[in-house]
Amino acid sequence: MEHAGGVGRGRRGGALVRGALVRAVAVALALGAVAAGAPPWPGPQRELRVQPVSVTDPAPPTDVVVTPADRALAVAWTAPKENFLSGYRVYVDGVLRASPTSPGVTLTGLVNGTPYVVTVTSVTTRLLVEHEGTQASAPVTGVPRDAVPPAAPAVTATRGDGRVSLVWPAAPEYDVDAYEVLRDGAAVSGLLGRATTSWTDTAVVNDRTYRYAVRARDTSGNWSPLTGPGVAATPTDLTAPSAPADLVAQRG
């Protein structure tokens, strides 16, 4: 039994070796055919051809409108008629600032009072490939501005001899750039710088009452409203007269 089993195993082993040799020869022949430029396997062959995608230059958006806001510009436009339109690119002074997918965007982080030139291009996407139009929309200039005026400063007046001294706190708004003092409703100080928070009026007459107010202006040209009649001050000589000298007492 052991001898018969050994013979069986020997026959099976020989068959496995012959099969491996046949497969090795087939692979070698196939590799040789490929190296020679022939198809590795018999039968009809199919040629795979990749057709290039024809992409047209997308038209730019039209009717671009720029609306100013506080440190921002709201930009809107009309979309072009493009089959594969996927988005837009918005440029400010030639620099890319936004890539929205809908016809509108708000550009923030700008400086009030500074003009900016805005242009918009169209972007199409086909077979996962983006193509930006080479022609941009007509340039539109926008100037951000603050539509809300600053608050009126609360002024304090101190009277003196032929003068009234005024002080006020600095305005909390970031874009205040000037102050102006009004006496009895008329401007008397001229424009004062942002860092100025005091002023002295010397063109006054003692023992006459005046009313003062201070208003602030921002970089967008908004003036703070005047609230109330203003603070009253009456300049006067507050120095006591000197005591008479060389007094002589006479009895009577």
Side-chain angles (χ1 to χ4, degrees):
M1 297 296 293
E2 292 179 0
H3 179 72
V7 172
R9 286 193 297 272
R11 291 176 179 175
R12 287 194 298 273
L16 292 174
V17 171
R18 287 192 296 273
L21 289 174
V22 171
R23 288 192 295 272
V25 171
V27 171
L29 291 175
L31 292 176
V34 171
W41 309 110
Q45 304 297 314
R46 293 184 178 180
E47 181 180 0
L48 179 61
R49 295 183 179 181
V50 178
Q51 297 292 338
V53 177
S54 177
V55 179
T56 59
D57 193 29
T62 57
D63 304 323
V64 178
V65 177
V66 176
T67 303
D70 184 17
R71 291 178 288 181
L73 292 174
V75 186
W77 56 87
T78 300
K81 295 181 179 180
E82 295 287 344
N83 292 330
F84 300 98
L85 186 65
S86 59
Y88 308 89
R89 290 178 184 167
V90 181
Y91 294 84
V92 176
D93 293 338
V95 179
L96 178 63
R97 290 294 300 267
S99 299
T101 56
S102 58
V105 69
T106 298
L107 305 171
T108 59
L110 306 179
V111 178
N112 286 344
T114 300
Y116 296 92
V117 178
V118 179
T119 55
V120 186
T121 60
S122 302
V123 178
T124 56
T125 301
R126 189 174 183 184
L127 297 180
L128 303 180
V129 177
E130 283 191 347
H131 181 74
E132 180 181 3
T134 58
Q135 184 178 1
S137 63
V140 178
T141 300
V143 181
R145 67 180 306 272
D146 184 4
V148 180
V155 62
T156 300
T158 303
R159 65 179 182 170
D161 183 12
R163 67 181 57 224
V164 175
S165 299
L166 306 170
V167 294
W168 58 90
E173 291 83 358
Y174 75 95
D175 57 347
V176 167
D177 68 343
Y179 298 98
E180 189 175 54
V181 177
L182 292 87
R183 182 210 307 138
D184 295 335
V188 292
S189 67
L191 289 180
L192 305 175
R194 173 181 174 83
T196 303
T197 55
S198 63
W199 187 76
T200 299
D201 187 6
T202 57
V204 291
V205 178
N206 281 348
D207 303 321
R208 176 181 172 182
T209 300
Y210 302 90
R211 290 192 173 274
Y212 293 91
V214 176
R215 61 178 184 169
R217 187 192 69 179
D218 62 24
T219 55
S220 297
N222 300 310
W223 284 99
S224 60
L226 297 177
T227 57
V231 60
T234 305
T236 188
D237 184 3
L238 301 177
T239 304
S242 301
D246 302 327
L247 292 178
V248 177
Q250 294 180 350
R251 65 180 181 177

PDB file of all heavy atoms in Angstrom, residues 67-101:
ATOM      1  N   THR A  67     -22.641  97.869  -5.203  1.00  0.00           N
ATOM      2  CA  THR A  67     -23.339  98.682  -4.205  1.00  0.00           C
ATOM      3  C   THR A  67     -22.430  98.876  -2.992  1.00  0.00           C
ATOM      4  O   THR A  67     -21.990  97.890  -2.389  1.00  0.00           O
ATOM      5  CB  THR A  67     -24.645  98.006  -3.765  1.00  0.00           C
ATOM      6  OG1 THR A  67     -25.467  97.778  -4.925  1.00  0.00           O
ATOM      7  CG2 THR A  67     -25.398  98.879  -2.779  1.00  0.00           C
ATOM      8  N   PRO A  68     -22.124 100.119  -2.620  1.00  0.00           N
ATOM      9  CA  PRO A  68     -21.216 100.347  -1.485  1.00  0.00           C
ATOM     10  C   PRO A  68     -21.870 100.025  -0.155  1.00  0.00           C
ATOM     11  O   PRO A  68     -23.081 100.176   0.029  1.00  0.00           O
ATOM     12  CB  PRO A  68     -20.880 101.838  -1.599  1.00  0.00           C
ATOM     13  CG  PRO A  68     -22.044 102.434  -2.323  1.00  0.00           C
ATOM     14  CD  PRO A  68     -22.529 101.378  -3.273  1.00  0.00           C
ATOM     15  N   ALA A  69     -21.045  99.581   0.785  1.00  0.00           N
ATOM     16  CA  ALA A  69     -21.463  99.321   2.160  1.00  0.00           C
ATOM     17  C   ALA A  69     -20.293  99.679   3.066  1.00  0.00           C
ATOM     18  O   ALA A  69     -19.237 100.121   2.597  1.00  0.00           O
ATOM     19  CB  ALA A  69     -21.873  97.858   2.336  1.00  0.00           C
ATOM     20  N   ASP A  70     -20.479  99.502   4.367  1.00  0.00           N
ATOM     21  CA  ASP A  70     -19.434  99.841   5.321  1.00  0.00           C
ATOM     22  C   ASP A  70     -18.273  98.860   5.188  1.00  0.00           C
ATOM     23  O   ASP A  70     -18.413  97.673   5.496  1.00  0.00           O
ATOM     24  CB  ASP A  70     -20.003  99.804   6.739  1.00  0.00           C
ATOM     25  CG  ASP A  70     -18.986 100.236   7.789  1.00  0.00           C
ATOM     26  OD1 ASP A  70     -17.969 100.857   7.418  1.00  0.00           O
ATOM     27  OD2 ASP A  70     -19.207  99.950   8.983  1.00  0.00           O
ATOM     28  N   ARG A  71     -17.140  99.335   4.688  1.00  0.00           N
ATOM     29  CA  ARG A  71     -15.929  98.530   4.469  1.00  0.00           C
ATOM     30  C   ARG A  71     -16.193  97.336   3.556  1.00  0.00           C
ATOM     31  O   ARG A  71     -15.540  96.296   3.662  1.00  0.00           O
ATOM     32  CB  ARG A  71     -15.348  98.056   5.803  1.00  0.00           C
ATOM     33  CG  ARG A  71     -14.757  99.155   6.651  1.00  0.00           C
ATOM     34  CD  ARG A  71     -14.253  98.653   7.972  1.00  0.00           C
ATOM     35  NE  ARG A  71     -15.346  98.307   8.865  1.00  0.00           N
ATOM     36  CZ  ARG A  71     -15.190  97.852  10.107  1.00  0.00           C
ATOM     37  NH1 ARG A  71     -13.975  97.681  10.590  1.00  0.00           N
ATOM     38  NH2 ARG A  71     -16.230  97.579  10.859  1.00  0.00           N
ATOM     39  N   ALA A  72     -17.152  97.468   2.658  1.00  0.00           N
ATOM     40  CA  ALA A  72     -17.515  96.351   1.791  1.00  0.00           C
ATOM     41  C   ALA A  72     -18.152  96.859   0.503  1.00  0.00           C
ATOM     42  O   ALA A  72     -18.581  98.016   0.407  1.00  0.00           O
ATOM     43  CB  ALA A  72     -18.472  95.404   2.513  1.00  0.00           C
ATOM     44  N   LEU A  73     -18.213  95.951  -0.485  1.00  0.00           N
ATOM     45  CA  LEU A  73     -18.914  96.203  -1.739  1.00  0.00           C
ATOM     46  C   LEU A  73     -19.761  94.981  -2.057  1.00  0.00           C
ATOM     47  O   LEU A  73     -19.256  93.850  -2.060  1.00  0.00           O
ATOM     48  CB  LEU A  73     -17.925  96.459  -2.886  1.00  0.00           C
ATOM     49  CG  LEU A  73     -17.100  97.744  -2.836  1.00  0.00           C
ATOM     50  CD1 LEU A  73     -16.076  97.748  -3.959  1.00  0.00           C
ATOM     51  CD2 LEU A  73     -17.996  98.972  -2.918  1.00  0.00           C
ATOM     52  N   ALA A  74     -21.047  95.193  -2.302  1.00  0.00           N
ATOM     53  CA  ALA A  74     -21.935  94.116  -2.735  1.00  0.00           C
ATOM     54  C   ALA A  74     -21.964  94.114  -4.263  1.00  0.00           C
ATOM     55  O   ALA A  74     -22.323  95.117  -4.876  1.00  0.00           O
ATOM     56  CB  ALA A  74     -23.331  94.311  -2.163  1.00  0.00           C
ATOM     57  N   VAL A  75     -21.574  92.991  -4.862  1.00  0.00           N
ATOM     58  CA  VAL A  75     -21.453  92.897  -6.316  1.00  0.00           C
ATOM     59  C   VAL A  75     -22.486  91.896  -6.836  1.00  0.00           C
ATOM     60  O   VAL A  75     -22.616  90.788  -6.304  1.00  0.00           O
ATOM     61  CB  VAL A  75     -20.038  92.449  -6.731  1.00  0.00           C
ATOM     62  CG1 VAL A  75     -19.875  92.501  -8.241  1.00  0.00           C
ATOM     63  CG2 VAL A  75     -18.984  93.323  -6.051  1.00  0.00           C
ATOM     64  N   ALA A  76     -23.223  92.279  -7.872  1.00  0.00           N
ATOM     65  CA  ALA A  76     -24.206  91.401  -8.514  1.00  0.00           C
ATOM     66  C   ALA A  76     -24.065  91.534 -10.023  1.00  0.00           C
ATOM     67  O   ALA A  76     -23.591  92.561 -10.524  1.00  0.00           O
ATOM     68  CB  ALA A  76     -25.623  91.752  -8.064  1.00  0.00           C
ATOM     69  N   TRP A  77     -24.481  90.485 -10.753  1.00  0.00           N
ATOM     70  CA  TRP A  77     -24.353  90.505 -12.208  1.00  0.00           C
ATOM     71  C   TRP A  77     -25.352  89.538 -12.835  1.00  0.00           C
ATOM     72  O   TRP A  77     -26.009  88.754 -12.133  1.00  0.00           O
ATOM     73  CB  TRP A  77     -22.929  90.125 -12.625  1.00  0.00           C
ATOM     74  CG  TRP A  77     -22.473  88.801 -12.093  1.00  0.00           C
ATOM     75  CD1 TRP A  77     -22.659  87.560 -12.645  1.00  0.00           C
ATOM     76  CD2 TRP A  77     -21.761  88.574 -10.869  1.00  0.00           C
ATOM     77  NE1 TRP A  77     -22.111  86.584 -11.857  1.00  0.00           N
ATOM     78  CE2 TRP A  77     -21.545  87.178 -10.759  1.00  0.00           C
ATOM     79  CE3 TRP A  77     -21.282  89.409  -9.864  1.00  0.00           C
ATOM     80  CZ2 TRP A  77     -20.872  86.608  -9.680  1.00  0.00           C
ATOM     81  CZ3 TRP A  77     -20.615  88.836  -8.788  1.00  0.00           C
ATOM     82  CH2 TRP A  77     -20.413  87.458  -8.710  1.00  0.00           C
ATOM     83  N   THR A  78     -25.449  89.599 -14.158  1.00  0.00           N
ATOM     84  CA  THR A  78     -26.309  88.696 -14.918  1.00  0.00           C
ATOM     85  C   THR A  78     -25.462  87.569 -15.496  1.00  0.00           C
ATOM     86  O   THR A  78     -24.424  87.821 -16.122  1.00  0.00           O
ATOM     87  CB  THR A  78     -27.023  89.445 -16.054  1.00  0.00           C
ATOM     88  OG1 THR A  78     -27.827  90.492 -15.483  1.00  0.00           O
ATOM     89  CG2 THR A  78     -27.912  88.507 -16.856  1.00  0.00           C
ATOM     90  N   ALA A  79     -25.910  86.331 -15.285  1.00  0.00           N
ATOM     91  CA  ALA A  79     -25.142  85.170 -15.735  1.00  0.00           C
ATOM     92  C   ALA A  79     -25.211  85.024 -17.253  1.00  0.00           C
ATOM     93  O   ALA A  79     -26.250  85.279 -17.864  1.00  0.00           O
ATOM     94  CB  ALA A  79     -25.674  83.902 -15.071  1.00  0.00           C
ATOM     95  N   PRO A  80     -24.107  84.605 -17.880  1.00  0.00           N
ATOM     96  CA  PRO A  80     -24.141  84.345 -19.326  1.00  0.00           C
ATOM     97  C   PRO A  80     -24.853  83.027 -19.614  1.00  0.00           C
ATOM     98  O   PRO A  80     -25.022  82.188 -18.724  1.00  0.00           O
ATOM     99  CB  PRO A  80     -22.659  84.271 -19.699  1.00  0.00           C
ATOM    100  CG  PRO A  80     -22.005  83.762 -18.454  1.00  0.00           C
ATOM    101  CD  PRO A  80     -22.769  84.362 -17.305  1.00  0.00           C
ATOM    102  N   LYS A  81     -25.249  82.828 -20.843  1.00  0.00           N
ATOM    103  CA  LYS A  81     -25.915  81.588 -21.239  1.00  0.00           C
ATOM    104  C   LYS A  81     -24.854  80.575 -21.663  1.00  0.00           C
ATOM    105  O   LYS A  81     -24.438  80.523 -22.822  1.00  0.00           O
ATOM    106  CB  LYS A  81     -26.904  81.856 -22.362  1.00  0.00           C
ATOM    107  CG  LYS A  81     -28.066  82.754 -21.937  1.00  0.00           C
ATOM    108  CD  LYS A  81     -29.046  82.990 -23.078  1.00  0.00           C
ATOM    109  CE  LYS A  81     -30.204  83.876 -22.628  1.00  0.00           C
ATOM    110  NZ  LYS A  81     -31.172  84.126 -23.734  1.00  0.00           N
ATOM    111  N   GLU A  82     -24.400  79.783 -20.690  1.00  0.00           N
ATOM    112  CA  GLU A  82     -23.388  78.753 -20.930  1.00  0.00           C
ATOM    113  C   GLU A  82     -23.910  77.419 -20.412  1.00  0.00           C
ATOM    114  O   GLU A  82     -24.437  77.336 -19.300  1.00  0.00           O
ATOM    115  CB  GLU A  82     -22.075  79.109 -20.224  1.00  0.00           C
ATOM    116  CG  GLU A  82     -21.384  80.347 -20.749  1.00  0.00           C
ATOM    117  CD  GLU A  82     -20.740  80.119 -22.108  1.00  0.00           C
ATOM    118  OE1 GLU A  82     -20.569  78.949 -22.503  1.00  0.00           O
ATOM    119  OE2 GLU A  82     -20.409  81.115 -22.776  1.00  0.00           O
ATOM    120  N   ASN A  83     -23.756  76.347 -21.220  1.00  0.00           N
ATOM    121  CA  ASN A  83     -24.294  75.037 -20.843  1.00  0.00           C
ATOM    122  C   ASN A  83     -23.592  74.432 -19.634  1.00  0.00           C
ATOM    123  O   ASN A  83     -24.212  73.743 -18.836  1.00  0.00           O
ATOM    124  CB  ASN A  83     -24.198  74.072 -22.023  1.00  0.00           C
ATOM    125  CG  ASN A  83     -25.127  74.458 -23.164  1.00  0.00           C
ATOM    126  OD1 ASN A  83     -26.182  75.043 -22.924  1.00  0.00           O
ATOM    127  ND2 ASN A  83     -24.738  74.150 -24.388  1.00  0.00           N
ATOM    128  N   PHE A  84     -22.297  74.674 -19.494  1.00  0.00           N
ATOM    129  CA  PHE A  84     -21.531  74.035 -18.426  1.00  0.00           C
ATOM    130  C   PHE A  84     -21.036  75.063 -17.407  1.00  0.00           C
ATOM    131  O   PHE A  84     -19.985  74.886 -16.802  1.00  0.00           O
ATOM    132  CB  PHE A  84     -20.349  73.261 -19.024  1.00  0.00           C
ATOM    133  CG  PHE A  84     -20.770  72.188 -19.985  1.00  0.00           C
ATOM    134  CD1 PHE A  84     -20.761  72.415 -21.355  1.00  0.00           C
ATOM    135  CD2 PHE A  84     -21.207  70.957 -19.518  1.00  0.00           C
ATOM    136  CE1 PHE A  84     -21.157  71.433 -22.241  1.00  0.00           C
ATOM    137  CE2 PHE A  84     -21.603  69.965 -20.401  1.00  0.00           C
ATOM    138  CZ  PHE A  84     -21.587  70.194 -21.767  1.00  0.00           C
ATOM    139  N   LEU A  85     -21.800  76.130 -17.216  1.00  0.00           N
ATOM    140  CA  LEU A  85     -21.418  77.186 -16.276  1.00  0.00           C
ATOM    141  C   LEU A  85     -21.414  76.639 -14.848  1.00  0.00           C
ATOM    142  O   LEU A  85     -22.397  76.060 -14.383  1.00  0.00           O
ATOM    143  CB  LEU A  85     -22.393  78.354 -16.386  1.00  0.00           C
ATOM    144  CG  LEU A  85     -22.065  79.603 -15.573  1.00  0.00           C
ATOM    145  CD1 LEU A  85     -20.780  80.242 -16.077  1.00  0.00           C
ATOM    146  CD2 LEU A  85     -23.214  80.595 -15.646  1.00  0.00           C
ATOM    147  N   SER A  86     -20.288  76.808 -14.142  1.00  0.00           N
ATOM    148  CA  SER A  86     -20.166  76.263 -12.784  1.00  0.00           C
ATOM    149  C   SER A  86     -19.819  77.310 -11.739  1.00  0.00           C
ATOM    150  O   SER A  86     -19.894  77.027 -10.541  1.00  0.00           O
ATOM    151  CB  SER A  86     -19.095  75.169 -12.755  1.00  0.00           C
ATOM    152  OG  SER A  86     -17.837  75.684 -13.169  1.00  0.00           O
ATOM    153  N   GLY A  87     -19.425  78.506 -12.149  1.00  0.00           N
ATOM    154  CA  GLY A  87     -19.080  79.511 -11.154  1.00  0.00           C
ATOM    155  C   GLY A  87     -18.499  80.757 -11.788  1.00  0.00           C
ATOM    156  O   GLY A  87     -18.548  80.947 -13.010  1.00  0.00           O
ATOM    157  N   TYR A  88     -17.932  81.594 -10.914  1.00  0.00           N
ATOM    158  CA  TYR A  88     -17.385  82.876 -11.352  1.00  0.00           C
ATOM    159  C   TYR A  88     -16.123  83.173 -10.549  1.00  0.00           C
ATOM    160  O   TYR A  88     -15.882  82.581  -9.489  1.00  0.00           O
ATOM    161  CB  TYR A  88     -18.399  84.005 -11.135  1.00  0.00           C
ATOM    162  CG  TYR A  88     -19.754  83.724 -11.718  1.00  0.00           C
ATOM    163  CD1 TYR A  88     -20.736  83.075 -10.962  1.00  0.00           C
ATOM    164  CD2 TYR A  88     -20.069  84.088 -13.021  1.00  0.00           C
ATOM    165  CE1 TYR A  88     -21.985  82.797 -11.492  1.00  0.00           C
ATOM    166  CE2 TYR A  88     -21.316  83.819 -13.555  1.00  0.00           C
ATOM    167  CZ  TYR A  88     -22.267  83.170 -12.787  1.00  0.00           C
ATOM    168  OH  TYR A  88     -23.499  82.893 -13.311  1.00  0.00           O
ATOM    169  N   ARG A  89     -15.361  84.117 -11.056  1.00  0.00           N
ATOM    170  CA  ARG A  89     -14.207  84.624 -10.323  1.00  0.00           C
ATOM    171  C   ARG A  89     -14.268  86.142 -10.336  1.00  0.00           C
ATOM    172  O   ARG A  89     -14.390  86.751 -11.394  1.00  0.00           O
ATOM    173  CB  ARG A  89     -12.900  84.103 -10.924  1.00  0.00           C
ATOM    174  CG  ARG A  89     -12.741  82.602 -10.658  1.00  0.00           C
ATOM    175  CD  ARG A  89     -11.508  82.011 -11.253  1.00  0.00           C
ATOM    176  NE  ARG A  89     -11.496  80.560 -11.018  1.00  0.00           N
ATOM    177  CZ  ARG A  89     -10.683  79.710 -11.617  1.00  0.00           C
ATOM    178  NH1 ARG A  89      -9.808  80.155 -12.505  1.00  0.00           N
ATOM    179  NH2 ARG A  89     -10.738  78.423 -11.342  1.00  0.00           N
ATOM    180  N   VAL A  90     -14.203  86.706  -9.123  1.00  0.00           N
ATOM    181  CA  VAL A  90     -14.355  88.150  -8.951  1.00  0.00           C
ATOM    182  C   VAL A  90     -12.992  88.741  -8.609  1.00  0.00           C
ATOM    183  O   VAL A  90     -12.324  88.291  -7.667  1.00  0.00           O
ATOM    184  CB  VAL A  90     -15.374  88.465  -7.838  1.00  0.00           C
ATOM    185  CG1 VAL A  90     -15.550  89.969  -7.686  1.00  0.00           C
ATOM    186  CG2 VAL A  90     -16.710  87.796  -8.141  1.00  0.00           C
ATOM    187  N   TYR A  91     -12.603  89.740  -9.371  1.00  0.00           N
ATOM    188  CA  TYR A  91     -11.303  90.382  -9.190  1.00  0.00           C
ATOM    189  C   TYR A  91     -11.496  91.821  -8.721  1.00  0.00           C
ATOM    190  O   TYR A  91     -12.395  92.525  -9.186  1.00  0.00           O
ATOM    191  CB  TYR A  91     -10.519  90.382 -10.504  1.00  0.00           C
ATOM    192  CG  TYR A  91     -10.121  89.003 -10.979  1.00  0.00           C
ATOM    193  CD1 TYR A  91     -11.015  88.217 -11.710  1.00  0.00           C
ATOM    194  CD2 TYR A  91      -8.863  88.482 -10.696  1.00  0.00           C
ATOM    195  CE1 TYR A  91     -10.657  86.947 -12.144  1.00  0.00           C
ATOM    196  CE2 TYR A  91      -8.492  87.218 -11.132  1.00  0.00           C
ATOM    197  CZ  TYR A  91      -9.398  86.458 -11.854  1.00  0.00           C
ATOM    198  OH  TYR A  91      -9.041  85.202 -12.288  1.00  0.00           O
ATOM    199  N   VAL A  92     -10.641  92.240  -7.786  1.00  0.00           N
ATOM    200  CA  VAL A  92     -10.629  93.618  -7.298  1.00  0.00           C
ATOM    201  C   VAL A  92      -9.252  94.198  -7.600  1.00  0.00           C
ATOM    202  O   VAL A  92      -8.234  93.687  -7.110  1.00  0.00           O
ATOM    203  CB  VAL A  92     -10.917  93.686  -5.786  1.00  0.00           C
ATOM    204  CG1 VAL A  92     -10.805  95.125  -5.289  1.00  0.00           C
ATOM    205  CG2 VAL A  92     -12.299  93.131  -5.486  1.00  0.00           C
ATOM    206  N   ASP A  93      -9.230  95.214  -8.431  1.00  0.00           N
ATOM    207  CA  ASP A  93      -7.968  95.815  -8.873  1.00  0.00           C
ATOM    208  C   ASP A  93      -7.031  94.757  -9.458  1.00  0.00           C
ATOM    209  O   ASP A  93      -5.813  94.782  -9.237  1.00  0.00           O
ATOM    210  CB  ASP A  93      -7.286  96.559  -7.718  1.00  0.00           C
ATOM    211  CG  ASP A  93      -8.078  97.781  -7.273  1.00  0.00           C
ATOM    212  OD1 ASP A  93      -8.888  98.292  -8.068  1.00  0.00           O
ATOM    213  OD2 ASP A  93      -7.894  98.220  -6.119  1.00  0.00           O
ATOM    214  N   GLY A  94      -7.612  93.789 -10.182  1.00  0.00           N
ATOM    215  CA  GLY A  94      -6.822  92.766 -10.845  1.00  0.00           C
ATOM    216  C   GLY A  94      -6.419  91.594  -9.983  1.00  0.00           C
ATOM    217  O   GLY A  94      -5.750  90.674 -10.461  1.00  0.00           O
ATOM    218  N   VAL A  95      -6.820  91.578  -8.718  1.00  0.00           N
ATOM    219  CA  VAL A  95      -6.459  90.499  -7.792  1.00  0.00           C
ATOM    220  C   VAL A  95      -7.711  89.672  -7.482  1.00  0.00           C
ATOM    221  O   VAL A  95      -8.761  90.228  -7.153  1.00  0.00           O
ATOM    222  CB  VAL A  95      -5.856  91.061  -6.491  1.00  0.00           C
ATOM    223  CG1 VAL A  95      -5.516  89.930  -5.522  1.00  0.00           C
ATOM    224  CG2 VAL A  95      -4.616  91.885  -6.798  1.00  0.00           C
ATOM    225  N   LEU A  96      -7.599  88.349  -7.577  1.00  0.00           N
ATOM    226  CA  LEU A  96      -8.736  87.470  -7.302  1.00  0.00           C
ATOM    227  C   LEU A  96      -9.145  87.589  -5.838  1.00  0.00           C
ATOM    228  O   LEU A  96      -8.331  87.384  -4.937  1.00  0.00           O
ATOM    229  CB  LEU A  96      -8.368  86.020  -7.628  1.00  0.00           C
ATOM    230  CG  LEU A  96      -9.457  84.971  -7.354  1.00  0.00           C
ATOM    231  CD1 LEU A  96     -10.672  85.217  -8.234  1.00  0.00           C
ATOM    232  CD2 LEU A  96      -8.905  83.562  -7.586  1.00  0.00           C
ATOM    233  N   ARG A  97     -10.441  87.912  -5.609  1.00  0.00           N
ATOM    234  CA  ARG A  97     -10.932  88.077  -4.247  1.00  0.00           C
ATOM    235  C   ARG A  97     -12.024  87.088  -3.876  1.00  0.00           C
ATOM    236  O   ARG A  97     -12.264  86.858  -2.694  1.00  0.00           O
ATOM    237  CB  ARG A  97     -11.464  89.503  -4.052  1.00  0.00           C
ATOM    238  CG  ARG A  97     -10.399  90.578  -4.037  1.00  0.00           C
ATOM    239  CD  ARG A  97      -9.477  90.441  -2.837  1.00  0.00           C
ATOM    240  NE  ARG A  97     -10.196  90.545  -1.588  1.00  0.00           N
ATOM    241  CZ  ARG A  97     -10.355  91.680  -0.906  1.00  0.00           C
ATOM    242  NH1 ARG A  97      -9.831  92.799  -1.363  1.00  0.00           N
ATOM    243  NH2 ARG A  97     -11.010  91.694   0.236  1.00  0.00           N
ATOM    244  N   ALA A  98     -12.721  86.504  -4.849  1.00  0.00           N
ATOM    245  CA  ALA A  98     -13.807  85.581  -4.525  1.00  0.00           C
ATOM    246  C   ALA A  98     -14.082  84.679  -5.718  1.00  0.00           C
ATOM    247  O   ALA A  98     -13.836  85.052  -6.865  1.00  0.00           O
ATOM    248  CB  ALA A  98     -15.069  86.349  -4.135  1.00  0.00           C
ATOM    249  N   SER A  99     -14.607  83.461  -5.411  1.00  0.00           N
ATOM    250  CA  SER A  99     -14.975  82.491  -6.454  1.00  0.00           C
ATOM    251  C   SER A  99     -16.362  81.936  -6.145  1.00  0.00           C
ATOM    252  O   SER A  99     -16.510  80.763  -5.771  1.00  0.00           O
ATOM    253  CB  SER A  99     -13.939  81.364  -6.521  1.00  0.00           C
ATOM    254  OG  SER A  99     -12.659  81.864  -6.840  1.00  0.00           O
ATOM    255  N   PRO A 100     -17.399  82.750  -6.279  1.00  0.00           N
ATOM    256  CA  PRO A 100     -18.754  82.286  -5.959  1.00  0.00           C
ATOM    257  C   PRO A 100     -19.309  81.380  -7.054  1.00  0.00           C
ATOM    258  O   PRO A 100     -18.827  81.376  -8.193  1.00  0.00           O
ATOM    259  CB  PRO A 100     -19.550  83.589  -5.868  1.00  0.00           C
ATOM    260  CG  PRO A 100     -18.841  84.508  -6.811  1.00  0.00           C
ATOM    261  CD  PRO A 100     -17.385  84.158  -6.708  1.00  0.00           C
ATOM    262  N   THR A 101     -20.324  80.614  -6.687  1.00  0.00           N
ATOM    263  CA  THR A 101     -21.002  79.754  -7.656  1.00  0.00           C
ATOM    264  C   THR A 101     -22.330  80.344  -8.115  1.00  0.00           C
ATOM    265  O   THR A 101     -22.950  79.814  -9.034  1.00  0.00           O
ATOM    266  CB  THR A 101     -21.251  78.366  -7.045  1.00  0.00           C
ATOM    267  OG1 THR A 101     -22.004  78.516  -5.827  1.00  0.00           O
ATOM    268  CG2 THR A 101     -19.931  77.671  -6.726  1.00  0.00           C
TER     269      THR A 101
END
